[in-house]
């Protein structure tokens, strides 16, 4: 049986678990629901990942965020 091609979540978000995907949605990943499918803008993914970046348990403060303070 041939393996199915990777989904966009597996490629861009580097996840393959539907549970992890649902966790990202609950954590605030913006999305549009069309029927049973979910659509996510690539720019929203970039912003979400940047806003949830930690190094050794400390949140990474981006230049844009530092300038807003």
């Amino acid at each position: 049986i041939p393996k199915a091609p990777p989904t966009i979540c597996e490629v861009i978000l580097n996840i393959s678990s539907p549970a992890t995907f649902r966790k990202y949605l609950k954590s605030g990943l913006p999305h549009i629901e069309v029927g049973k499918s979910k659509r996510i803008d690539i720019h929203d993914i970039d912003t979400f990942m940047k806003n949830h970046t930690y190094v050794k348990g400390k949140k990474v403060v981006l230049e844009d965020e530092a300038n807003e303070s």
Side-chain angles (χ1 to χ4, degrees):
I1 299 174
K3 187 176 178 182
T7 65
I8 194 75
C9 286
E10 292 171 331
V11 174
I12 295 176
L13 294 174
N14 196 26
I15 59 171
S16 58
S17 166
T20 301
F21 180 65
R22 286 191 297 272
K23 184 178 174 182
Y24 283 8
L25 295 178
K26 286 182 181 181
S27 294
L29 178 61
H31 64 283
I32 298 169
E33 292 187 22
V34 180
K36 292 184 178 182
S37 68
K38 311 242 184 310
R39 305 286 185 217
I40 303 169
D41 185 279
I42 189 74
H43 301 293
D44 288 339
I45 292 172
D46 288 339
T47 302
F48 178 82
M49 297 307 281
K50 287 177 185 174
N51 291 334
H52 290 82
T53 300
Y54 289 79
V55 176
K56 294 185 180 181
K58 290 186 159 191
K59 187 173 187 319
V60 175
V61 178
L62 303 173
E63 259 185 58
D64 294 342
E65 291 176 3
N67 292 333
E68 291 175 5
S69 301

